[in-house]
Amino acid sequence: MKYTRIPHTDIRISKICLGTMTWGRQNTQEEAHEQMDYALEQGVNFFDTAELYPIPVKKELYAVTEEFIGNWFKKTGNRDRVVLASKISGKGHNGKHIRNTGFAKEAIIQAVEGSLQRLQTDHIDLYQLHWPERNTNYFGQRGYNAHLLDGWEDNIHQVLETLSDLIVQGKIGHVGISNETPWGCMRFLEESKVHRNLPRVLTIQNPYNLLNRLFEIGLSEISMREHIGLLAHSPLGFGVLSGKYLEAVPPRMARITLFPEYTRYSGDTAVEATRRYAQLAREHGLSLAQMSLAFVNSRPFVTSTVVGATTLAQLKENIGSYEVELSDGILEGIAEIHRVLPNPAP
Ligand SMILES: NC(=O)c1ccc[n+]([C@@H]2O[C@H](COP(=O)([O-])OP(=O)(O)OC[C@H]3O[C@@H](n4cnc5c(N)ncnc54)[C@H](OP(=O)(O)O)[C@@H]3O)[C@@H](O)[C@H]2O)c1
């Protein structure tokens, strides 16, 4: 495994982070535990979860994924070997049934206490705000609806104050944002620059893959200049970048077949781009999944790639991508496809 650090800290994390959001829906607790055993054996010491998981969301399965992880910590005694990240759900969207009070002080405290209990730990190393509380562009939205600006009162100072208290109490270690925009990212930074007692956000967990490279516009420069690490989520575009949905018969037990409401990575242009990336990977003797992951792993603003898998075979292939180096020829091929079909799945 290759290692890096959470920016501005000496916390050493693997370049591959273990995503967990299928555990409790597509994966049983036993399978989840096998994935954690395997990942740790391979040197993966960074796990990402959320109170929202598993996905797709079901009210009665609230935070089951965290419970699986907590039970594994208890069973194996491995808590100290893992850098653990979790998230509080934002307002609206998938999280309405959780509390819908956004990042109010009581909401954050309640969310952290709940996660600590389920994870059977007294400390979450990286605590992330899952999506912005305000109306803005995320979760695949194109265009920009200025009228949606109505109603949000800037509470970023108070959010950071609450998180700061939790850091002082030792319940969380550091703070990250997720599905954020350049404005949101700079706004968080501004607050912690002006008020030095407030925590600085260290990471941003946004989608980043060959079908969605929007991070490169605006956020990549912030990431490099301000040292905010991208934790790249959905690096295979929900599995589309394995190429398996291009087959004449679509895979039966796979996310987009099982949950067709997930259309983000399946539009016509995304399919066409996937076809071209698949052809390029073939020409260079790589699997499409490994080429796609190696591309993400190698971008300078990526601190860690958050992989997801529903089988150990997938996990093996995905973790193994840390060793794959892309030649100039492949990178030129990727650049050419991206020039013709940029960001087909925002
Ligand atoms: N912050 C956020 O809002 C956010 C959003 C999404 C994800 N995340 C985090 O990022 C992690 C990864 O996201 P993701 O699951 O969307 O990642 P992804 O890499 O885009 O998709 C992973 C899915 O693709 C399929 N797959 C994975 N490897 C494969 C392979 N080698 N060959 C064929 N199929 C393969 C599996 O699903 P099937 O077997 O069902 O096909 C797997 O569950 C999550 O677990 C979560 O921790 C965060």
Side-chain angles (χ1 to χ4, degrees), residues 11-177:
I11 301 175
R12 184 171 170 267
I13 51 168
S14 44
K15 278 293 290 188
I16 303 289
C17 171
L18 182 65
T20 61
M21 75 180 190
T22 56
W23 305 351
R25 290 288 314 244
Q26 283 179 268
N27 291 107
T28 62
Q29 172 155 240
E30 195 184 348
E31 289 166 345
H33 288 194
E34 279 167 10
Q35 286 201 21
M36 286 185 274
D37 289 340
Y38 177 78
L40 198 63
E41 258 168 50
Q42 299 305 308
V44 172
N45 74 337
F46 187 27
F47 296 1
D48 175 70
T49 192
E51 64 167 334
L52 185 75
Y53 297 163
I55 289 287
V57 166
K58 249 192 184 173
K59 197 173 167 186
E60 56 276 27
L61 291 178
Y62 167 64
V64 158
T65 309
E66 286 189 331
E67 286 174 15
F68 287 4
I69 298 170
N71 292 339
W72 182 79
F73 286 146
K74 187 167 183 206
K75 181 173 85 176
T76 61
N78 278 337
R79 173 65 190 93
D80 292 346
R81 298 176 66 193
V82 171
V83 177
L84 180 61
S86 192
K87 314 182 193 83
I88 178 173
S89 292
K91 243 186 192 156
H93 296 282
N94 277 330
K96 280 196 193 99
H97 62 290
I98 299 180
R99 64 182 76 77
N100 216 25
T101 44
F103 305 141
K105 181 172 182 171
E106 305 68 40
I108 297 178
I109 293 170
Q110 186 198 54
V112 168
E113 294 292 353
S115 288
L116 288 172
Q117 206 177 20
R118 288 183 294 270
L119 290 162
Q120 306 198 36
T121 182
D122 54 9
H123 182 77
I124 297 165
D125 300 287
L126 178 68
Y127 198 64
Q128 306 159 102
L129 307 173
H130 205 147
W131 61 89
E133 212 177 346
R134 60 189 196 281
N135 286 315
T136 184
N137 279 29
Y138 53 90
F139 293 153
Q141 187 182 321
R142 283 208 200 258
Y144 185 70
N145 297 319
H147 68 277
L148 292 178
L149 280 179
D150 296 348
W152 179 70
E153 281 179 28
D154 190 331
N155 58 349
I156 286 176
H157 184 90
Q158 292 91 312
V159 171
L160 288 175
E161 258 181 356
T162 306
L163 292 166
S164 171
D165 290 347
L166 289 161
I167 291 174
V168 170
Q169 292 164 26
K171 294 184 175 170
I172 62 173
H174 299 279
V175 175
I177 47 181

Side-chain angles (χ1 to χ4, degrees), residues 75-336:
K75 181 173 85 176
T76 61
N78 278 337
R79 173 65 190 93
D80 292 346
R81 298 176 66 193
V82 171
V83 177
L84 180 61
S86 192
K87 314 182 193 83
I88 178 173
S89 292
K91 243 186 192 156
H93 296 282
N94 277 330
K96 280 196 193 99
H97 62 290
I98 299 180
R99 64 182 76 77
N100 216 25
T101 44
F103 305 141
K105 181 172 182 171
E106 305 68 40
I108 297 178
I109 293 170
Q110 186 198 54
V112 168
E113 294 292 353
S115 288
L116 288 172
Q117 206 177 20
R118 288 183 294 270
L119 290 162
Q120 306 198 36
T121 182
D122 54 9
H123 182 77
I124 297 165
D125 300 287
L126 178 68
Y127 198 64
Q128 306 159 102
L129 307 173
H130 205 147
W131 61 89
E133 212 177 346
R134 60 189 196 281
N135 286 315
T136 184
N137 279 29
Y138 53 90
F139 293 153
Q141 187 182 321
R142 283 208 200 258
Y144 185 70
N145 297 319
H147 68 277
L148 292 178
L149 280 179
D150 296 348
W152 179 70
E153 281 179 28
D154 190 331
N155 58 349
I156 286 176
H157 184 90
Q158 292 91 312
V159 171
L160 288 175
E161 258 181 356
T162 306
L163 292 166
S164 171
D165 290 347
L166 289 161
I167 291 174
V168 170
Q169 292 164 26
K171 294 184 175 170
I172 62 173
H174 299 279
V175 175
I177 47 181
S178 178
N179 299 300
E180 257 299 355
T181 66
W183 183 83
C185 191
M186 287 308 294
R187 181 68 194 92
F188 274 97
L189 284 177
E190 177 187 33
E191 208 53 50
S192 58
K193 281 180 185 178
V194 173
H195 304 279
R196 306 296 290 194
N197 58 322
L198 294 181
R200 184 186 168 96
V201 294
L202 304 184
T203 56
I204 173 165
Q205 183 174 138
N206 273 28
Y208 184 68
N209 55 59
L210 285 176
L211 300 174
N212 176 359
R213 292 169 57 180
L214 290 177
F215 190 88
E216 291 169 9
I217 305 164
L219 280 166
S220 59
E221 183 175 9
I222 297 175
S223 167
M224 297 297 287
R225 293 193 187 277
E226 302 286 343
H227 306 291
I228 303 259
L230 172 60
L231 307 179
H233 80 61
S234 303
L236 291 179
F238 280 14
V240 166
L241 286 166
S242 65
K244 64 189 175 186
Y245 295 97
L246 297 174
E247 303 294 326
V249 182
R252 228 166 38 85
M253 297 305 287
R255 185 182 300 171
I256 295 171
T257 314
L258 292 169
F259 312 112
E261 64 270 30
Y262 286 134
T263 53
R264 187 170 180 177
Y265 295 98
S266 316
D268 292 347
T269 335
V271 172
E272 178 53 28
T274 305
R275 213 184 291 285
R276 294 188 192 194
Y277 286 121
Q279 172 68 22
L280 179 70
R282 245 190 322 274
E283 283 165 13
H284 291 271
L286 289 175
S287 73
L288 175 56
Q290 285 213 330
M291 182 184 88
S292 303
L293 293 170
F295 178 77
V296 174
N297 299 342
S298 62
R299 299 305 88 195
F301 43 80
V302 172
T303 290
S304 190
T305 304
V306 191
V307 303
T310 58
T311 67
L312 281 182
Q314 290 176 359
L315 190 59
K316 186 172 181 198
E317 180 172 29
N318 300 350
I319 292 176
S321 71
Y322 84 89
E323 286 183 308
V324 177
E325 301 279 343
L326 299 181
S327 65
D328 290 346
I330 302 185
L331 289 170
E332 280 161 25
I334 289 175
E336 180 54 20

